[in-house]
Amino acid sequence: MTAAVFFGCAFIAFGPALALYIFTIATEPLRVIFLIIGKASEGLKTINPDETAPSMRLLAYVSGLGFGIMSGVFAFVNTLSDSLGPGTVGIHGDSPQFFLNSAFMTLVIILLHVFWGIIFFDGCEKKKWSALLVVLLTHLLVSALTFISPHYGINLVSTYLIMVLMGIWAFFVAGGSCRSLKLCLLCQDKDFLLFNQRSR
Amino acid sequence: MLTFMASDSEEEVCDERTSLMSAESPPPRCCEEARQGLEDRESAAQWRSQDSEEDLDEDADRYMCSGVPGQPSGLEEELTLKYGAKHVIMLFVPVTLCMVVVVATIKSVRFYTEKNGQLIYTPFTEDTPSVGQRLLNSVLNTLIMISVIVAMTIFLVVLYKYRCYKFIHGWLIMSSLMLLFLFTYIYLGEVLKTYNVAMDYPTLFLTVWNFGAVGMVCIHWKGPLVLQQAYLIMISALMALVFIKYLPEWSAWVILGAISVYDLVAVLCPKGPLRMLVETAQERNEPIFPALIYSSAMVWTVGMAKLDPSSQGALQLPYDPEMEEDSYDSFGEPSYPEVFEPPLPGYPGDELEEEEERGVKLGLGDFIFYSVLVGKAAATGSGDWNTTLACFVAILIGLCLTLLLLAVFKKALPALPISITFGLIFYFSTDNLVRPFMDTLASHQLYI
């Protein structure tokens, strides 16, 4: 119940989302706006005829991030503002890790929304109804897991596991592959480097 | 609310974006700043008209020029969209900043949420035993406020029509003096009290004097663009805080609704006062006063300026003072509310090789009423952050839609109706439906 708790929980919950926003969206606001008003496909066609697919994936990512941030913010911001004020956590016998748990849950929810968005859009594009069903079911599963709320261990661990699985699935759906991952990590990905050069 | 800025020679129009930005001769806008302490009819009237003007301004007709003539229409449309998207961003930042300042102040400084009397424009109290009586009082308060605003606007139109520029200028200067000095002094005092920081009178005097004097210079004369924008945002925030403090709760919501309806009517109806103001200013080919309008960018190509006088006149900004007053939103050259491209088609030589960046203008009244809505959402009752954020998002969405409509219709549009409607809908639904639900979820750590 101090500034340390406030800032710590705020950065745990919203740090990655903010970083994603700053590094991927804030630098290209025009592109994002164009995507959202739907002109991107036509506009991008005039620039590069092969870029219709990436625009839809970008839209999926952006909308997933948007939904995730809104959901995380609405769930957590009141708790955060209470953490600034005076009080003792768990004085009536509840867990003293209330804020930390909420922060980590918020983080995982935001990331899950991003991955779900990518998978869902791809499922709609390619008419893979099984993907849609799995997204829906895992969402319900994650929400149901939060019902066992004082038992943070099971809750958090299983939700993070689901998040990792969804992340791997979304990575492959978005066109990644083991090879491209390796190239990226070793900074040998020429396309990525060139792309960055061009868009600057 | 600021008043006019001294106009300078037209060559200053060509100043680049980083240089000093001169203001145009002030439009007949009245500034009003009236505190409860200054129960002066005149100052109150000034305040009202300013208010109304600002509202009008804010309703901002947005006028967007569609690219350079002579280019294929597809490209033009793309340019239009590109400018539209750019302008969305250019307006999001100042509107967000103003709202952030207002919400931060409301949440930390108790003074602005304490009930300490009401303005003379809202004489009926809301401390009544029955709900029906309270509703009736708030509607009456709204009627009085709106009629004062309408009266002031019409007064302004009349003044402008009969060319009483000195009167208007004096009025505006008085208003901005009051805003920049008195309200800043009070604000600073309250902030220092909240954080228990001691400041001696000489330091205070120096601070307020510097702040106010630089503000007057920036707004009414010349100054760096960023500084001018910052001052406009600050005075909008100060004005919004005054409204939040002195308007009773239900009256505030009804007034917000009524102001957007009035804005819609005044800007779009053929006999609306704002529209008449615009037309008069257009007839006279006079520049509008930039002090009451927030403008964002501006680079005017020097090449254009050297062209024939009529095109230069267009560059100059035949702004309509009315537009300024009516809270027009338009793209224009620096501090030109309205951007006109009529000379361009007729002059093939005008095709710009260089890219011109136009600024977007949004009237200060729009800033103020957006901030009032978000501030009231932050101030009332439970102090719920979800409600505040929902209203904030609603207003930005409304702003986006209005800019889109502007790009489609290419004529002046009011900026208040869509945003305020969304804001009101989101406020009431979030506060009554979403808040209890999310509170329960958060307290049990359930996530949906």
Short mmCIF file of all heavy atoms in Angstrom, two decimals, chain A residues 137-173:
data_model
loop_
_atom_site.label_atom_id
_atom_site.label_comp_id
_atom_site.label_asym_id
_atom_site.label_seq_id
_atom_site.Cartn_x
_atom_site.Cartn_y
_atom_site.Cartn_z
N LEU A 137 -13.05 -21.35 -26.23
CA LEU A 137 -13.00 -22.25 -25.09
C LEU A 137 -11.87 -21.91 -24.15
O LEU A 137 -12.03 -21.96 -22.92
CB LEU A 137 -12.89 -23.70 -25.58
CG LEU A 137 -14.17 -24.27 -26.19
CD1 LEU A 137 -13.96 -25.68 -26.69
CD2 LEU A 137 -15.30 -24.24 -25.17
N THR A 138 -10.71 -21.56 -24.68
CA THR A 138 -9.61 -21.21 -23.77
C THR A 138 -9.94 -19.93 -23.02
O THR A 138 -9.55 -19.77 -21.86
CB THR A 138 -8.28 -21.03 -24.53
OG1 THR A 138 -8.51 -20.23 -25.69
CG2 THR A 138 -7.68 -22.35 -24.89
N HIS A 139 -10.64 -19.01 -23.67
CA HIS A 139 -11.02 -17.79 -22.95
C HIS A 139 -11.92 -18.13 -21.78
O HIS A 139 -11.74 -17.65 -20.65
CB HIS A 139 -11.73 -16.83 -23.92
CG HIS A 139 -11.83 -15.44 -23.40
ND1 HIS A 139 -11.87 -14.35 -24.21
CD2 HIS A 139 -11.90 -14.95 -22.14
CE1 HIS A 139 -11.96 -13.25 -23.48
NE2 HIS A 139 -11.99 -13.58 -22.22
N LEU A 140 -12.91 -18.98 -22.05
CA LEU A 140 -13.80 -19.39 -20.96
C LEU A 140 -13.03 -20.14 -19.88
O LEU A 140 -13.27 -19.97 -18.68
CB LEU A 140 -14.92 -20.27 -21.52
CG LEU A 140 -15.99 -19.53 -22.32
CD1 LEU A 140 -16.96 -20.50 -22.94
CD2 LEU A 140 -16.74 -18.56 -21.41
N LEU A 141 -12.07 -20.96 -20.31
CA LEU A 141 -11.28 -21.71 -19.34
C LEU A 141 -10.48 -20.79 -18.43
O LEU A 141 -10.44 -20.96 -17.20
CB LEU A 141 -10.33 -22.66 -20.09
CG LEU A 141 -9.42 -23.53 -19.22
CD1 LEU A 141 -10.25 -24.49 -18.41
CD2 LEU A 141 -8.44 -24.28 -20.10
N VAL A 142 -9.84 -19.80 -19.04
CA VAL A 142 -9.04 -18.86 -18.24
C VAL A 142 -9.92 -18.12 -17.25
O VAL A 142 -9.57 -17.94 -16.08
CB VAL A 142 -8.29 -17.88 -19.17
CG1 VAL A 142 -7.75 -16.71 -18.41
CG2 VAL A 142 -7.18 -18.61 -19.88
N SER A 143 -11.10 -17.68 -17.72
CA SER A 143 -12.00 -16.97 -16.81
C SER A 143 -12.47 -17.89 -15.69
O SER A 143 -12.56 -17.49 -14.53
CB SER A 143 -13.21 -16.44 -17.57
OG SER A 143 -12.82 -15.41 -18.43
N ALA A 144 -12.76 -19.14 -16.05
CA ALA A 144 -13.24 -20.07 -15.03
C ALA A 144 -12.14 -20.35 -14.01
O ALA A 144 -12.42 -20.53 -12.81
CB ALA A 144 -13.70 -21.36 -15.69
N LEU A 145 -10.90 -20.40 -14.47
CA LEU A 145 -9.79 -20.65 -13.54
C LEU A 145 -9.70 -19.56 -12.48
O LEU A 145 -9.24 -19.80 -11.37
CB LEU A 145 -8.47 -20.71 -14.31
CG LEU A 145 -8.14 -22.06 -14.94
CD1 LEU A 145 -6.90 -21.94 -15.80
CD2 LEU A 145 -7.92 -23.11 -13.86
N THR A 146 -10.11 -18.34 -12.85
CA THR A 146 -10.01 -17.28 -11.85
C THR A 146 -11.03 -17.43 -10.73
O THR A 146 -10.94 -16.73 -9.73
CB THR A 146 -10.20 -15.89 -12.49
OG1 THR A 146 -11.51 -15.82 -13.05
CG2 THR A 146 -9.17 -15.64 -13.56
N PHE A 147 -11.98 -18.35 -10.90
CA PHE A 147 -12.94 -18.55 -9.83
C PHE A 147 -12.30 -19.15 -8.59
O PHE A 147 -12.81 -19.03 -7.49
CB PHE A 147 -14.09 -19.45 -10.28
CG PHE A 147 -15.08 -18.75 -11.17
CD1 PHE A 147 -15.64 -19.41 -12.25
CD2 PHE A 147 -15.44 -17.45 -10.95
CE1 PHE A 147 -16.55 -18.77 -13.07
CE2 PHE A 147 -16.34 -16.80 -11.76
CZ PHE A 147 -16.90 -17.46 -12.83
N ILE A 148 -11.17 -19.87 -8.78
CA ILE A 148 -10.54 -20.51 -7.63
C ILE A 148 -9.58 -19.53 -6.99
O ILE A 148 -8.51 -19.87 -6.57
CB ILE A 148 -9.82 -21.80 -8.03
CG1 ILE A 148 -8.75 -21.48 -9.08
CG2 ILE A 148 -10.78 -22.81 -8.54
CD1 ILE A 148 -7.86 -22.67 -9.35
N SER A 149 -10.05 -18.27 -6.94
CA SER A 149 -9.09 -17.18 -6.76
C SER A 149 -8.16 -17.19 -5.56
O SER A 149 -7.02 -16.81 -5.73
CB SER A 149 -9.82 -15.87 -6.89
OG SER A 149 -10.01 -15.25 -5.73
N PRO A 150 -8.50 -17.61 -4.35
CA PRO A 150 -7.42 -17.52 -3.35
C PRO A 150 -6.24 -18.46 -3.63
O PRO A 150 -5.16 -18.26 -3.12
CB PRO A 150 -8.10 -17.89 -2.03
CG PRO A 150 -9.54 -17.65 -2.28
CD PRO A 150 -9.77 -17.97 -3.73
N HIS A 151 -6.46 -19.48 -4.44
CA HIS A 151 -5.35 -20.41 -4.72
C HIS A 151 -4.56 -19.90 -5.92
O HIS A 151 -4.67 -20.39 -7.03
CB HIS A 151 -5.89 -21.80 -5.04
CG HIS A 151 -6.76 -22.33 -3.95
ND1 HIS A 151 -6.24 -22.78 -2.77
CD2 HIS A 151 -8.10 -22.44 -3.87
CE1 HIS A 151 -7.25 -23.18 -1.99
NE2 HIS A 151 -8.38 -22.98 -2.62
N TYR A 152 -3.77 -18.87 -5.63
CA TYR A 152 -3.11 -18.19 -6.73
C TYR A 152 -2.19 -19.09 -7.52
O TYR A 152 -2.01 -18.92 -8.70
CB TYR A 152 -2.32 -16.98 -6.20
CG TYR A 152 -3.18 -15.92 -5.59
CD1 TYR A 152 -2.67 -15.11 -4.59
CD2 TYR A 152 -4.48 -15.71 -6.00
CE1 TYR A 152 -3.44 -14.12 -4.03
CE2 TYR A 152 -5.26 -14.73 -5.44
CZ TYR A 152 -4.73 -13.94 -4.44
OH TYR A 152 -5.49 -12.95 -3.88
N GLY A 153 -1.55 -20.02 -6.84
CA GLY A 153 -0.55 -20.86 -7.51
C GLY A 153 -1.10 -21.54 -8.74
O GLY A 153 -0.61 -21.36 -9.85
N ILE A 154 -2.16 -22.34 -8.54
CA ILE A 154 -2.73 -23.10 -9.66
C ILE A 154 -3.22 -22.15 -10.74
O ILE A 154 -2.96 -22.33 -11.94
CB ILE A 154 -3.93 -23.95 -9.18
CG1 ILE A 154 -3.56 -24.74 -7.94
CG2 ILE A 154 -4.39 -24.86 -10.29
CD1 ILE A 154 -4.75 -25.41 -7.32
N ASN A 155 -3.93 -21.15 -10.28
CA ASN A 155 -4.54 -20.19 -11.19
C ASN A 155 -3.50 -19.56 -12.11
O ASN A 155 -3.60 -19.64 -13.34
CB ASN A 155 -5.22 -19.11 -10.33
CG ASN A 155 -5.97 -18.13 -11.17
OD1 ASN A 155 -6.15 -18.32 -12.37
ND2 ASN A 155 -6.41 -17.06 -10.53
N LEU A 156 -2.47 -18.98 -11.51
CA LEU A 156 -1.49 -18.26 -12.31
C LEU A 156 -0.69 -19.20 -13.21
O LEU A 156 -0.49 -18.93 -14.39
CB LEU A 156 -0.53 -17.48 -11.40
CG LEU A 156 -1.03 -16.13 -10.92
CD1 LEU A 156 -0.01 -15.49 -10.01
CD2 LEU A 156 -1.30 -15.23 -12.09
N VAL A 157 -0.26 -20.32 -12.63
CA VAL A 157 0.61 -21.20 -13.41
C VAL A 157 -0.12 -21.73 -14.64
O VAL A 157 0.40 -21.71 -15.76
CB VAL A 157 1.14 -22.34 -12.53
CG1 VAL A 157 1.79 -23.41 -13.39
CG2 VAL A 157 2.16 -21.80 -11.55
N SER A 158 -1.34 -22.20 -14.44
CA SER A 158 -2.05 -22.75 -15.60
C SER A 158 -2.38 -21.67 -16.62
O SER A 158 -2.31 -21.92 -17.84
CB SER A 158 -3.32 -23.49 -15.17
OG SER A 158 -3.90 -22.86 -14.08
N THR A 159 -2.70 -20.47 -16.12
CA THR A 159 -3.00 -19.40 -17.10
C THR A 159 -1.76 -19.03 -17.90
O THR A 159 -1.84 -18.81 -19.11
CB THR A 159 -3.56 -18.17 -16.37
OG1 THR A 159 -4.55 -18.59 -15.44
CG2 THR A 159 -4.18 -17.22 -17.35
N TYR A 160 -0.61 -18.98 -17.23
CA TYR A 160 0.60 -18.67 -17.97
C TYR A 160 0.95 -19.76 -18.97
O TYR A 160 1.44 -19.49 -20.07
CB TYR A 160 1.78 -18.41 -17.01
CG TYR A 160 1.87 -16.96 -16.60
CD1 TYR A 160 1.14 -16.48 -15.51
CD2 TYR A 160 2.63 -16.06 -17.33
CE1 TYR A 160 1.20 -15.14 -15.17
CE2 TYR A 160 2.70 -14.74 -16.98
CZ TYR A 160 1.98 -14.28 -15.90
OH TYR A 160 2.04 -12.95 -15.55
N LEU A 161 0.65 -21.00 -18.58
CA LEU A 161 0.90 -22.12 -19.51
C LEU A 161 0.04 -21.95 -20.77
O LEU A 161 0.53 -22.10 -21.91
CB LEU A 161 0.55 -23.42 -18.79
CG LEU A 161 1.29 -24.66 -19.24
CD1 LEU A 161 2.78 -24.46 -19.05
CD2 LEU A 161 0.81 -25.86 -18.45
N ILE A 162 -1.21 -21.66 -20.54
CA ILE A 162 -2.11 -21.44 -21.68
C ILE A 162 -1.61 -20.28 -22.54
O ILE A 162 -1.64 -20.33 -23.78
CB ILE A 162 -3.55 -21.18 -21.20
CG1 ILE A 162 -4.11 -22.41 -20.52
CG2 ILE A 162 -4.44 -20.75 -22.35
CD1 ILE A 162 -5.49 -22.24 -19.95
N MET A 163 -1.09 -19.25 -21.88
CA MET A 163 -0.59 -18.10 -22.62
C MET A 163 0.60 -18.48 -23.49
O MET A 163 0.69 -18.07 -24.65
CB MET A 163 -0.19 -16.99 -21.63
CG MET A 163 0.12 -15.68 -22.30
SD MET A 163 1.84 -15.27 -22.47
CE MET A 163 2.43 -15.22 -20.85
N VAL A 164 1.49 -19.29 -22.95
CA VAL A 164 2.65 -19.70 -23.75
C VAL A 164 2.19 -20.52 -24.95
O VAL A 164 2.66 -20.33 -26.09
CB VAL A 164 3.63 -20.49 -22.87
CG1 VAL A 164 4.67 -21.18 -23.72
CG2 VAL A 164 4.31 -19.56 -21.87
N LEU A 165 1.25 -21.44 -24.73
CA LEU A 165 0.74 -22.25 -25.85
C LEU A 165 0.10 -21.38 -26.92
O LEU A 165 0.37 -21.53 -28.12
CB LEU A 165 -0.28 -23.27 -25.32
CG LEU A 165 0.29 -24.41 -24.49
CD1 LEU A 165 -0.83 -25.22 -23.86
CD2 LEU A 165 1.19 -25.29 -25.34
N MET A 166 -0.73 -20.45 -26.48
CA MET A 166 -1.37 -19.55 -27.43
C MET A 166 -0.35 -18.71 -28.17
O MET A 166 -0.49 -18.43 -29.36
CB MET A 166 -2.35 -18.62 -26.70
CG MET A 166 -3.57 -19.30 -26.17
SD MET A 166 -4.69 -19.70 -27.49
CE MET A 166 -5.11 -21.35 -27.06
N GLY A 167 0.69 -18.30 -27.42
CA GLY A 167 1.73 -17.49 -28.05
C GLY A 167 2.43 -18.25 -29.16
O GLY A 167 2.66 -17.71 -30.25
N ILE A 168 2.74 -19.51 -28.90
CA ILE A 168 3.43 -20.31 -29.93
C ILE A 168 2.51 -20.50 -31.13
O ILE A 168 2.92 -20.36 -32.29
CB ILE A 168 3.86 -21.67 -29.33
CG1 ILE A 168 4.92 -21.44 -28.24
CG2 ILE A 168 4.39 -22.58 -30.40
CD1 ILE A 168 5.28 -22.69 -27.48
N TRP A 169 1.25 -20.79 -30.86
CA TRP A 169 0.29 -20.97 -31.95
C TRP A 169 0.16 -19.68 -32.78
O TRP A 169 0.21 -19.72 -34.00
CB TRP A 169 -1.06 -21.37 -31.36
CG TRP A 169 -2.06 -21.77 -32.39
CD1 TRP A 169 -1.88 -21.87 -33.73
CD2 TRP A 169 -3.42 -22.12 -32.13
NE1 TRP A 169 -3.03 -22.25 -34.34
CE2 TRP A 169 -3.99 -22.42 -33.38
CE3 TRP A 169 -4.19 -22.21 -30.97
CZ2 TRP A 169 -5.32 -22.79 -33.50
CZ3 TRP A 169 -5.51 -22.58 -31.10
CH2 TRP A 169 -6.08 -22.88 -32.35
N ALA A 170 0.04 -18.57 -32.09
CA ALA A 170 -0.11 -17.30 -32.81
C ALA A 170 1.13 -16.99 -33.63
O ALA A 170 1.05 -16.44 -34.73
CB ALA A 170 -0.39 -16.16 -31.82
N PHE A 171 2.30 -17.35 -33.09
CA PHE A 171 3.54 -17.10 -33.83
C PHE A 171 3.53 -17.85 -35.15
O PHE A 171 3.86 -17.30 -36.20
CB PHE A 171 4.73 -17.52 -32.96
CG PHE A 171 6.05 -17.37 -33.64
CD1 PHE A 171 6.60 -16.13 -33.86
CD2 PHE A 171 6.75 -18.50 -34.07
CE1 PHE A 171 7.82 -15.99 -34.49
CE2 PHE A 171 7.97 -18.37 -34.69
CZ PHE A 171 8.51 -17.12 -34.91
N PHE A 172 3.10 -19.12 -35.10
CA PHE A 172 3.10 -19.89 -36.35
C PHE A 172 1.98 -19.44 -37.27
O PHE A 172 2.12 -19.45 -38.49
CB PHE A 172 3.01 -21.39 -36.05
CG PHE A 172 4.30 -21.93 -35.54
CD1 PHE A 172 4.43 -22.34 -34.23
CD2 PHE A 172 5.41 -21.99 -36.37
CE1 PHE A 172 5.63 -22.81 -33.74
CE2 PHE A 172 6.62 -22.47 -35.89
CZ PHE A 172 6.73 -22.88 -34.58
N VAL A 173 0.89 -19.04 -36.70
CA VAL A 173 -0.22 -18.54 -37.53
C VAL A 173 0.18 -17.27 -38.24
O VAL A 173 -0.17 -17.04 -39.40
CB VAL A 173 -1.46 -18.31 -36.63
CG1 VAL A 173 -2.36 -17.25 -37.22
CG2 VAL A 173 -2.20 -19.59 -36.43
#
